[in-house]
Structure formats: C-alpha cells, structure tokens
Amino acid sequence: MVPLRGRQFISSVIFLAAGDVRKIFIDYGNANALLNGRLDWKGAAPFYWNSFGVEGVLGYEGKMMPRDIPKISDFIATLDQFNKYSRPVMSIDSYDQGKYTTSLLASFGKYIDKKKQDLGFYFIPFAMWTWRNNTANTKIQGSDYNLSDALLSDDHGNPIWYKEGDWGCLAMDPTHPAVRQYVIYQLKKAKEIGAKFLKIDFLTAGALESTRRYNSSVRSGLQAYNYGMNMLKSLADSILGKDVFITEAISPMFPSQYAHGRFVSTDVYSHFRDDQPGFPHYGSTEASLASGSHLWWVQGTLWPYTNLDVAIMKNFQKNPDLTEKDIQVRLYAMMSMGSILGDGSDYRNKLAADRAAVYLNNKYLCAFFSAPKAFTPVKVADGESLDQQMAFFLPGKEVLISQFNFSNSAGYDQIWKKKELGLTNTGYLIKDFLTDHTVGKIESGQETFSTSVPAADARMLKLVPSN
C-alpha cells in the first residue's frame, strides 16, 4: 500500500472522558460534529418506499417494474397518516438501467408527482459492477475513461475486487477524474427524473487502501474517501440543490458529515432471528438491533437520523412470510434507533396492503417517525448469542419505553427506575403505544416498576401522567 510521507506525523485527536458511558458517547458524537460539521434536515423526516424488497438486485426478474410500479404509488396515496407529514418517496433501488431508463423513471416521476410523492434515486459512486473478464473494455458511463483506468490496485498491481465473483464489484479511486465525471453523470440523471432522495451504496469501496491513486498527494484510503465524499456532496448541492435527502448504505462510520442518515447495520430482511429456518442467516431484526444498541448515539450527533432499512408487511423477495408479531418488533426496533421510516412491501398483495393500513398508517407511529429520535439504552446486546434481551427509553412529556426479548424460550422481566427515566413522583398510566390502551399503572411515590415480555416478542409502551 502507499506509505505516508512527511517530516512529522501527528496522531488523530483523542477524546478522553469519564462518567456514564451513554452521555460520553453523545458527547463524543457531538465533538466529531463540532470538528467536522454535520448536516441538518429541515421539515419532517422522509417516509419512503423502496423497490429492493420486491425486485431484488437490478430488477432483472421483472416482478413488478415497470409494469405495475404505479400500483404501489396508488396504494401509498391511500394512507392518510403516511402522507400527512411529508411527500412520501418512491425510491427505486439497484436496477438495470437498460430496463428502467432515465426516460421511464422521469415518466414515473411525473405520475407520482400528481399524487404528491417524490422519486428516489440509487447509485454507487466509488465502485462498479461488471463481468470479471471484461474490466479492460468496460467504459465508465459519462466519462472519457475505461474502468481499468480508475481502479484501486493491490500490492501486486491487480485490481481490488470489493465483491468477488464472475459478476463482481470493483473498487474505484475517488480521486480519479473518471469518478468525478461518473458522479456528475449519475446526479444529472437524478435531476432529470426529479429525485429528492439519494441512496448511495458500497461507499466502503472508496476507502480501501491502494498502491496507486490518481492524486498522488492522497496517501490513505480514508483520505481518498473523504476527498470523494466532499466532491460528491458539493456536486449534489450544485446539481440537485440542498433540499435532497442523502442516505448512506454500506459505508465507513467516519467521515460522517456528508449525509442525513446512514445504515447502522446490514440490509435488513425483517425476520425475527438469523437462525430461522427458510430465512437468510443474516439481516434479521435481532441482528440489526444488537449492533444498533451500541450505536444509538449517532442519531442526532453524527447524522440527523439513522436508517435501519425498510420494514416488510408480508415477505422480502423470495423469503417466507412474516408474522404480524415480526412486523411489530421490526417497527419498534426502527423507532428505538431513531430511524427514518421506510417500507419495501409488494402492495399488489392484499395481505401486505391490509397490514400496511394497520401499521404504516397508525397515527401514533407516523407522528413519531415524522421527527424520530433514538432511545437511550438501559440494557444493550451482550455477547454473540441470538437470545438478546434489550431495553431502551426516550425521555419526554410522555416517556416511551421499548423492551425486546429475542429468546425463543425464556421470558424477560425488566425493572425500571423512575428517576433514570426522568419521571416525577406522580402516578403514570402505562399505555400500549400502537393502540393507546392502558395496560398498567405506576402509583404516585413508587420508585421502580417492572414490565414483562414473553419469549420471542417485544413491547413499545408510553408512560402518561395520570393526574
């Protein structure tokens, strides 16, 4: 890899603190934002629908697009609460640009604009998918270069594959002019279709180490990544304007100042646990919340919001059907992490549509996601077991508490301290979040109270003063 160069090397700034680790992490996030900046977002947080849960990679199976995509828009327009706070986004994910052309997406954008919806756009700025035997002759779209001109290289001078395979993903140099031209090309397409939401993916490819870079003054992977992200954000502001929401998928944690949201785990397919028969061995709600429980502090410090990927009302691509309990647990996990609200369901299916009318159109849930905030952990994931039991709270006039039990066999009792939750010495009603039904009470003068969750379940409760 490229060695550093200079007379003197100074280490990164070190953050030292002592006390409650939860407060320290928030201070740490704010310290990073103070040094590097962070983006703000005006107005309500975006609500979005994403095509990946139906179409899969590239949409080559033609499950829905382009024929039936207007049907999804039509259904979403019927959800009055989902439409109440901002214009919902129809986000078209990884797609075959031969099938789903710019003109086709622009036409769809005009269709959904009449329903007061916006279009989302997906692209990969620092990597390129291609066939393994075709790297030399693959042209970088919108540029004057072949792909081989702009690739990162290993110690033997070979291109670095970010994703191996006959159809694989090669890492590109963010400092190369071809990458700048490619980013401009993609952003101009986003403008042409009227996109107000950008999902940028596989960003980590741009942070990989390399033996060569076009800009020889850039000496490390993260320096190159920072160079590329600064370039991308400046171009997005110039071409699209600053009112476009940018969310990062696979990406480094830092630098964080170029986006409004970021995944805090992998893609999430909404099944309960990674070991469920018939489901992938990754991408469960348990796995996403286990990692997210240690990253709750990034919401509001590094980014205005997190993004815990989409909820699913029936099934993700070819995976088995989810239960209603799976859906509730998934939504509670998204709430607890301060995520924006995304969905990836096929609403041509009646069961998916019926469930969305119950869950995604719930007035309490939509009000929360219009301005989501991350909960503070009381009990985080510990160890590598899938039997995690976690608890969180969100202070406020009405305190929210969430409790997750991913054990398939054991119940989970949690003792809460009123003082820690910011509760006064008065009495409180304990209400189910989604229904507003009273399910318990806390007496005046009572210092602690407990809640229980059976095996393989979760609860979202709100504590309302009773006098």
Side-chain angles (χ1 to χ4, degrees):
M1 296 300 113
V2 177
L4 297 179
R5 199 179 276 169
R7 291 174 176 269
Q8 185 180 30
F9 296 97
I10 301 173
S11 73
S12 301
V13 176
I14 297 174
F15 181 89
L16 294 176
D20 185 337
V21 70
R22 296 172 299 182
K23 181 180 183 303
I24 288 171
F25 270 125
I26 291 174
D27 290 343
Y28 171 70
N30 284 325
N32 276 277
L34 183 66
L35 290 172
N36 302 312
R38 85 178 147 227
L39 298 186
D40 295 319
W41 182 253
K42 296 179 180 179
F47 289 20
Y48 73 100
W49 177 88
N50 184 276
S51 64
F52 185 63
V54 181
E55 284 287 2
V57 176
L58 299 180
Y60 64 91
E61 293 181 359
K63 293 180 181 178
M64 175 182 61
M65 291 180 63
R67 181 188 68 255
D68 283 349
I69 187 69
K71 293 181 180 179
I72 308 299
S73 171
D74 294 345
F75 172 76
I76 287 176
T78 69
L79 303 175
D80 59 322
Q81 294 297 320
F82 195 83
N83 287 266
K84 183 176 180 180
Y85 299 96
S86 62
R87 289 167 62 103
V89 173
M90 300 290 292
S91 177
I92 309 304
D93 209 272
S94 173
Y95 59 91
D96 183 333
Q97 296 178 12
K99 288 185 178 182
Y100 314 123
T101 61
T102 303
S103 60
L104 185 151
L105 292 177
S107 176
F108 180 56
K110 292 176 182 177
Y111 179 85
I112 66 174
D113 181 62
K114 296 176 183 178
K115 299 177 182 297
K116 298 182 179 180
Q117 298 168 357
D118 289 326
L119 200 55
F121 184 79
Y122 172 101
F123 79 105
I124 302 168
F126 308 136
M128 187 72 67
W129 287 87
T130 186
W131 294 104
R132 177 174 285 276
N133 61 0
N134 197 35
T135 59
N137 299 318
T138 299
K139 181 82 180 229
I140 298 179
Q141 292 176 304
S143 83
D144 305 319
Y145 299 89
N146 286 330
L147 179 58
S148 56
D149 297 325
L151 296 178
L152 300 182
S153 301
D154 63 19
D155 291 336
H156 303 289
N158 299 314
I160 294 176
W161 288 89
Y162 183 69
K163 293 284 185 180
E164 289 278 359
D166 291 337
W167 171 254
C169 186
L170 284 159
M172 296 195 297
D173 175 10
T175 76
H176 198 284
V179 174
R180 178 183 174 86
Q181 291 174 358
Y182 177 68
V183 168
I184 291 172
Y185 169 78
Q186 293 288 359
L187 291 174
K188 283 184 175 179
K189 286 201 301 184
K191 182 176 182 177
E192 188 173 343
I193 69 174
K196 293 294 184 181
F197 183 98
L198 289 181
K199 179 182 175 183
I200 47 179
D201 204 355
F202 296 107
L203 301 176
T204 306
L208 299 179
E209 300 300 335
S210 177
T211 54
R212 67 168 185 172
R213 287 191 181 84
Y214 182 85
N215 186 334
S216 60
S217 67
V218 174
R219 311 298 294 179
S220 74
L222 274 182
Q223 187 183 5
Y225 174 72
N226 189 56
Y227 179 103
M229 288 301 296
N230 183 64
M231 173 264 292
L232 189 154
K233 182 62 171 65
S234 297
L235 290 171
D237 289 350
S238 175
I239 296 171
L240 300 177
K242 295 186 177 182
D243 61 341
V244 172
F245 191 94
I246 301 175
T247 183
E248 299 172 333
I250 301 169
S251 64
M253 177 76 77
F254 300 101
S256 59
Q257 63 266 28
Y258 302 114
H260 301 95
R262 176 185 178 270
F263 278 17
V264 291
S265 74
T266 62
D267 292 349
V268 184
Y269 301 154
S270 289
H271 52 297
F272 191 72
R273 289 170 45 130
D274 282 349
D275 61 351
Q276 282 180 261
F279 286 92
H281 64 279
Y282 54 89
S284 69
T285 298
E286 184 277 334
S288 67
L289 191 61
S291 63
S293 69
H294 296 277
L295 293 171
W296 54 274
W297 54 273
V298 304
Q299 190 272 322
T301 61
L302 303 184
W303 301 282
Y305 312 108
T306 64
N307 188 342
L308 213 64
D309 208 352
V310 296
I312 299 292
M313 295 296 111
K314 181 180 177 290
N315 67 295
F316 186 95
Q317 295 178 10
K318 296 179 180 179
N319 293 345
D321 284 359
L322 303 168
T323 68
E324 286 203 44
K325 184 167 64 175
D326 292 334
I327 295 168
Q328 288 186 45
V329 175
R330 180 83 183 95
L331 290 169
Y332 295 161
M334 295 170 73
M335 287 180 63
S336 298
M337 290 298 101
S339 175
I340 57 176
L341 179 58
D343 175 79
S345 305
D346 186 347
Y347 290 120
R348 296 172 300 179
N349 181 278
K350 185 177 184 304
L351 177 60
D354 289 346
R355 287 175 169 179
V358 173
Y359 295 107
L360 293 187
N361 209 38
N362 180 281
K363 66 178 182 178
Y364 304 111
L365 184 133
C366 289
F368 175 87
F369 278 112
S370 70
K373 294 186 182 300
F375 289 35
T376 300
V378 171
K379 186 179 181 185
V380 299
D382 185 19
E384 298 180 354
S385 169
L386 297 177
D387 296 335
Q388 296 294 337
Q389 296 176 328
M390 294 171 274
F392 307 83
F393 74 97
L394 181 65
K397 184 177 179 181
E398 294 182 353
V399 175
L400 297 181
I401 58 174
S402 58
Q403 187 176 347
F404 299 85
N405 185 9
F406 290 100
S407 170
N408 285 324
S409 57
Y412 170 28
D413 297 326
Q414 175 66 39
I415 297 176
W416 306 85
K417 298 177 182 178
K418 286 177 69 175
K419 184 176 180 180
E420 182 178 16
L421 301 180
L423 301 177
T424 66
N425 213 24
T426 59
Y428 288 83
L429 298 177
I430 304 175
K431 294 192 172 188
D432 176 77
F433 176 79
L434 290 177
T435 65
D436 202 41
H437 293 161
T438 299
V439 295
K441 63 181 180 178
I442 307 168
E443 301 291 349
S444 177
Q446 187 177 338
E447 294 183 357
T448 64
F449 66 98
S450 64
T451 54
S452 299
V453 175
D457 207 346
R459 302 185 81 179
M460 178 68 70
L461 303 169
K462 53 187 172 184
L463 310 179
V464 181
S466 58
N467 52 5

